[in-house]
Amino acid sequence: MQNHVLFLFSAIILLGTSCNGAPDDTPKTVEVTGIITMKDKPVSGASVVFMPESGPSAIGITDASGSYALKTGKAIGATPGQHVVTITSGGETPMPGTEEAKSDKTKPEVPVDYGDPKKSGLTANVKASGNNKFDFKLN
């Protein structure tokens, strides 16, 4: 009888420790902020994406002052390490040949090459500790 009680107690302990869920697979992140400017003016509503060599990307949207703060999923910040950075801004793509196509209002504020990881030329080395503020002055 004592062996059955000991077995039952051990099984309850084992079951309790294994039901805590899967290990935390949320990546370690650190706070990353910065300011995006274009021709010395803040860029509002731009998407800023930090793409690490491996792991999930981090994204932020600039406010009216051009400031952004990154998030990786629900976590604040980006994973430490080297990142390729892309920046895109709004703007609609109108039907070619229309009056809208000729208007500057429909053109993206940021040139499209900054949105291409192979052409942006933008990088950032996110440190595991310390200041991770990356300002980008676009042409």
Side-chain angles (χ1 to χ4, degrees), residues 43-64:
V43 178
S44 175
S47 295
V48 182
V49 180
F50 277 48
M51 293 175 278
E53 293 173 350
S54 67
S57 295
I59 188 167
I61 306 294
T62 58
D63 62 16

Side-chain angles (χ1 to χ4, degrees), residues 7-20:
F7 175 76
L8 183 60
F9 181 72
S10 298
I12 290 171
I13 296 296
L14 182 61
L15 184 62
T17 58
S18 65
C19 288
N20 289 336

Side-chain angles (χ1 to χ4, degrees), residues 3 23 67 76 82 103 116:
N3 287 342
S67 298
I76 292 174
Q82 191 64 33
S103 170
D116 184 338

Side-chain angles (χ1 to χ4, degrees), residues 22-124:
D24 187 11
D25 59 355
T26 303
K28 293 279 186 192
T29 60
V30 292
E31 184 177 6
V32 176
T33 61
I35 298 173
I36 308 299
T37 56
M38 179 86 175
K39 299 178 182 171
D40 295 323
K41 295 180 183 177
V43 178
S44 175
S47 295
V48 182
V49 180
F50 277 48
M51 293 175 278
E53 293 173 350
S54 67
S57 295
I59 188 167
I61 306 294
T62 58
D63 62 16
S65 68
S67 298
Y68 68 91
L70 296 180
K71 288 182 89 175
T72 301
K74 293 182 180 181
I76 292 174
T79 57
Q82 191 64 33
H83 294 255
V84 171
V85 179
T86 62
I87 302 170
T88 56
S89 66
E92 301 171 17
T93 307
M95 183 69 84
T98 64
E99 287 300 315
E100 291 175 340
K102 297 174 188 171
S103 170
D104 284 340
K105 292 180 183 178
T106 60
K107 294 180 183 171
E109 187 172 355
V110 175
V112 293
D113 282 354
Y114 287 114
D116 184 338
K118 294 178 181 170
K119 295 180 182 178
S120 78
L122 305 174
T123 60

